[in-house]
Amino acid sequence: MIIDSHEHLMFPTEVQIKKMDEAGVDKTILFGTAPHPERAVTFSDLKSEMGALYKILAGSTTREANIQRMKDNISEVMQVIHEYPDRFYGFGSVPLELSLEDTVDWIKKQIVSNGLKGVGEFTPGSDEQIKQLETVFKALESFPYLPIWIHTFNPVTSNGIKYLMELTQKYPAVPVIYGHMGGYHWMDVIDFAKTVQNAYIDLSAAFSTLAARMAVTELPEKCLYSSDAPYGEPLLSKQLIEFVSPSNEISEKILGGNILKLIGEDNA
């Protein structure tokens, strides 16, 4: 199976499925989203849509608003999964503002009860927000089958990535997906994932074709194909993997085998 391991919910869903079909993608892992850049027609439209994301990154929304937004995002993802169960899996959001007990309860009610396959995307807007992730890591020790997906491109800094690496090592039972393979710091992420068992690399928004080539060559068992649609295109992202991969066998792992194993669906 070809699995796009990271796309954001797009409207209308039929457009998202059309893109999957054009790329030969069998199933996609859906993530909730605040902005919907696929709606934009002009540059001005895009800036307006992205304003929602910038407010979240800047921490200018209230705790209550963040929690409600995440519940709404999960509800939207679940609605699409229920409508097209043969085409989508899902990951679900988790607030950073909760206590450990409340975080565990959230994961039980919002993630596990809904049959979601992991938690995220987390997009830390500051190093302080990355430090807040430790509560989520502690909670996930009770759910070792749930990977956590963390954005590691800008605005995440090199110090933020280093702290995330410390958390990854401190909680070895928690599978950690380094979204966008560390951005400018992709070499550090590849080096790290080579020696730390629970670290995985998402290849969407790869810094360069060289970065993608090095990742799939060095870590064929740990790299995950994704498009980050609507920010990327499923077809082009898939073609990149096929172009840089040393063999068809490795392509098959990255295009679906690795993520299916990670989310426990390799025997499905």
Side-chain angles (χ1 to χ4, degrees), residues 122-133:
F122 292 91
T123 308
S126 66
D127 291 351
E128 185 59 35
Q129 286 184 335
I130 288 187
K131 292 179 180 179
Q132 287 181 295
L133 281 169

Side-chain angles (χ1 to χ4, degrees), residues 6-153:
H6 184 81
E7 288 191 20
H8 296 281
L9 187 66
M10 295 169 60
F11 295 127
T13 306
E14 290 73 21
V15 170
Q16 189 154 26
I17 291 175
K18 182 180 179 181
K19 287 180 177 291
M20 291 165 58
D21 289 342
E22 289 172 346
V25 170
D26 297 297
K27 212 160 184 175
T28 285
I29 299 180
L30 278 183
F31 290 67
T33 183
H36 282 277
E38 72 276 8
R39 293 170 170 165
V41 176
T42 67
F43 186 51
S44 178
D45 294 339
L46 178 61
K47 289 194 291 184
S48 178
E49 282 290 342
M50 294 303 291
L53 176 60
Y54 298 149
K55 286 181 181 179
I56 294 168
L57 292 177
S60 58
T61 54
T62 66
R63 177 181 184 273
E64 292 74 19
N66 279 334
I67 290 174
Q68 187 58 52
R69 172 180 56 83
M70 291 182 185
K71 287 181 178 179
D72 292 342
N73 286 348
I74 290 172
S75 179
E76 289 177 340
V77 167
M78 291 310 304
Q79 184 175 345
V80 173
I81 291 174
H82 287 151
E83 189 170 357
Y84 301 97
D86 59 329
R87 300 309 303 268
F88 296 107
Y89 296 119
F91 272 38
S93 302
V94 179
L96 292 179
E97 301 93 341
L98 304 179
S99 67
L100 177 57
E101 182 180 357
D102 287 342
T103 301
V104 170
D105 187 59
W106 177 284
I107 293 172
K108 287 179 180 177
K109 292 179 177 178
Q110 298 291 334
I111 309 298
V112 176
S113 294
N114 280 317
L116 295 171
K117 300 299 183 180
V119 301
E121 171 179 2
F122 292 91
T123 308
S126 66
D127 291 351
E128 185 59 35
Q129 286 184 335
I130 288 187
K131 292 179 180 179
Q132 287 181 295
L133 281 169
E134 183 158 15
T135 301
V136 181
F137 273 76
K138 287 179 181 178
L140 287 173
E141 286 188 304
S142 300
F143 311 93
Y145 50 87
L146 293 176
I148 179 172
W149 204 107
I150 302 168
H151 177 105
T152 58
F153 215 141

Side-chain angles (χ1 to χ4, degrees), residues 181 186-197 199-201 203 211-224 246 250 253-254 258:
M181 61 184 307
W186 60 272
M187 295 181 71
D188 296 330
V189 171
I190 289 175
D191 273 338
F192 179 75
K194 286 174 70 174
T195 59
V196 178
Q197 185 176 359
Y200 296 83
I201 297 178
L203 296 175
R213 185 186 300 277
M214 290 297 100
V216 304
T217 302
E218 294 291 319
L219 294 161
E221 308 284 344
K222 288 192 163 193
C223 289
L224 310 173
I250 289 176
K253 290 178 180 179
I254 295 169
N258 291 343

